[in-house]
Amino acid sequence: MSTEPVPAGTVLAGGVPAGAGPAMLTLNNVEVIYDDVILVLRGLSLQVPEGKIVALLGSNGAGKSTTLKAVSGLLPSEHGEVTDGSITFAGQDITRMDAAERVKQGMSLCMEGRHVFEHLTIAENLVAGAYTQKAGASSAEVLDEVYTFFPKLADMRNRVAGYLSGGEQQMLAIGRALMARPKLLMLDEPSLGLAPLLVQEIFGYIQRLNAETGLTVLVIEQNARRALEVADHGYIMEQGRIVLEGPAAELRENPDVKEFYLGLGDEGSRKSYRDVKHYKRRKRWL
Ligand SMILES: Nc1ncnc2c1ncn2[C@@H]1O[C@H](COP(=O)(O)OP(=O)(O)OP(=O)(O)O)[C@@H](O)[C@H]1O
Ligand SMILES: [Mg+2]
């Protein structure tokens, strides 16, 4: 057996980025089937190292949201099931763990479309996010932390959530997810439907949360450019599998990623990765 040291930056078999530190979350060959017949994840493997930001990118229908639902334990409510492989969180096999228990173990999901309670105030929305919190800090303390991090939410604490702008609602959704004091925050397309300046603001918050509190983040995005700017590591998935991965800085320079995800092809014109035929003909990483 070879015991040679692994050069830095090398990706080991199984997709473990060398030198990335202990993985907080590991998906190993995960297969997901909906309604007993619809195969959506086809042996997906990825790792989220502790204290890092990982971006999961891919076009519509690739299975990104399904991946987060598998991790959060939300598949049963959608007639979905992990039929093969395993999911490990903080050293524990959680593949079949109940969703509420996973939140207690320290993971929090901000779902696509924000889903704030429209008729409740900001303060009430936040307190509702604390229901699964472990013993320890009181919800008043955690609420204070969230208000300190998002002063805008503090200023608007008595406003009804339904009247907030899209960006403010996204901030609230992130604040609510933080009320459970997660170790791992998962975000499903936080930039969806937001104007560029707000996208910048939201990603700025994500980056600061990671830098200032050490929070580990797994973020799904179609806005690949923004996501690869804040992430340490990126994975690109197509049709239920990872097709490309690497340090975010490397992915930003990869010609295929530039062409299909960043709209910076050599020909200069912006191409859409939704142009599946062209995409399949040209993609070189399979
Ligand atoms: N509850 C469900 N029942 C059956 N099929 C589903 C269900 N949810 C998702 N799918 C299918 O699984 C595939 C992946 O869906 P998923 O929502 O995970 O993709 P996505 O990468 O998040 O796409 P998008 O970028 O559009 O959000 C799609 O073909 C979708 O139709
Ligand atoms: Mg989705």
Side-chain angles (χ1 to χ4, degrees), residues 23-78:
M24 177 169 282
L25 177 73
T26 302
L27 279 79
N28 186 23
N29 270 312
V30 172
E31 184 179 275
V32 166
I33 295 182
Y34 285 111
D35 296 323
D36 295 324
V37 287
I38 308 167
L39 177 62
V40 173
L41 295 193
R42 305 157 189 258
L44 181 130
S45 297
L46 66 78
Q47 293 224 340
V48 182
E50 197 174 333
K52 301 287 182 194
I53 301 180
V54 170
L56 177 60
L57 313 171
S59 45
N60 287 115
K64 303 181 299 296
S65 297
T66 299
T67 303
L68 289 198
K69 285 173 192 163
V71 173
S72 316
L74 298 177
L75 288 173
S77 57
E78 296 200 14

Side-chain angles (χ1 to χ4, degrees), residues 9 11 41-42 49 67 74 80 108 184 187 189 213 267 270:
V11 173
L41 295 193
R42 305 157 189 258
T67 303
L74 298 177
S108 217
L184 171 68
L187 301 147
E189 302 211 33
T213 72
E267 292 89 57
R270 189 189 169 101

Side-chain angles (χ1 to χ4, degrees), residues 92-156:
Q92 218 185 146
D93 187 325
I94 59 158
T95 317
R96 321 238 164 255
M97 189 184 273
D98 175 67
E101 185 57 33
R102 295 185 206 208
V103 178
K104 281 197 196 133
Q105 296 297 318
M107 57 168 67
S108 217
L109 170 65
C110 248
M111 290 206 280
E112 195 174 343
R114 304 188 263 278
H115 298 284
V116 298
F117 301 117
E118 295 192 350
H119 302 291
L120 301 186
T121 64
I122 286 185
E124 288 163 343
N125 264 277
L126 290 174
V127 171
Y131 73 104
T132 44
Q133 193 192 305
K134 284 182 291 211
S138 69
S139 48
E141 278 172 325
V142 187
L143 189 60
D144 264 354
E145 284 170 17
V146 171
Y147 282 150
T148 307
F149 195 80
F150 294 111
K152 272 190 197 166
L153 292 183
D155 293 344
M156 301 186 298

